[in-house]
Every structure is written in structure tokens, then in C-alpha cells.
Amino acid sequence: IGFPWWGQGICTGALAAVMGYMFWEVGCRTLIAMHALENPASGRVMEKCGMLRRPGDSVPISTENGLFNCRVYELGRSEFDKLCAIF
């Protein structure tokens, strides 16, 4: 999203909503996400939503925009349900 909207919790809220949909409506058991190392703010959003970083430094991912080294995060349904119970 554009710079004027950074730091307002918009991405964190959007990710939390998508996670709820994927777990509760679609029935996923585990969600896996990644971000380019050059974009650590995306990793922080994942961490705020309870995702845990997988061991290892990075994974190379080839896209139409080039090769990116990415950090991988994941969260299981039971962990997500526990986080939601807190709120």
C-alpha cells in the first residue's frame, strides 16, 4: 500500500481477516507465507498476526520480477484459534 497509509495497522488487519477466512471458511490447517528480505515490514505484519518464522535464513524465489531471497513464516489452525481466544 502507499506510504501515506503505512503504520496504521491496515495490512495487519487485512492479513488477520484473510487468515480467519482461510482457516474458518476454507478449512486450511496451516498457512505459509513469505516476504522478500528487502521488505522486512511485511515480515513484521506476519509476526503481529502470530505467524512464526521457519528455521533457515532464506529461500530463493523466482518471479516475473526477478529472483528474491525470501523469509518463510507459518501458522497452524490451532495456534490461530488460541490467538483469537485472547482477543
Side-chain angles (χ1 to χ4, degrees):
I1 64 172
F3 180 75
W5 297 278
W6 289 8
Q8 297 182 35
I10 295 169
C11 289
T12 302
L15 177 57
V18 168
M19 292 168 71
Y21 178 79
M22 294 303 292
F23 283 127
W24 296 329
E25 300 296 326
V26 176
C28 293
R29 292 182 287 175
T30 302
L31 296 180
I32 298 171
M34 62 184 72
H35 71 88
L37 295 180
E38 294 82 13
N39 185 6
S42 290
R44 184 67 190 123
V45 168
M46 292 179 222
E47 290 169 357
K48 287 179 184 180
C49 287
M51 298 191 83
L52 300 174
R53 187 172 146 195
R54 278 190 173 177
D57 289 332
S58 65
V59 175
I61 301 293
S62 180
T63 74
E64 65 220 21
N65 295 319
L67 183 67
F68 296 91
N69 287 315
C70 296
R71 199 158 274 145
V72 181
Y73 291 77
E74 78 178 288
L75 183 67
R77 165 74 189 260
S78 60
E79 289 84 9
F80 182 74
D81 288 343
K82 289 175 193 171
L83 289 170
C84 290
I86 294 171
F87 299 104

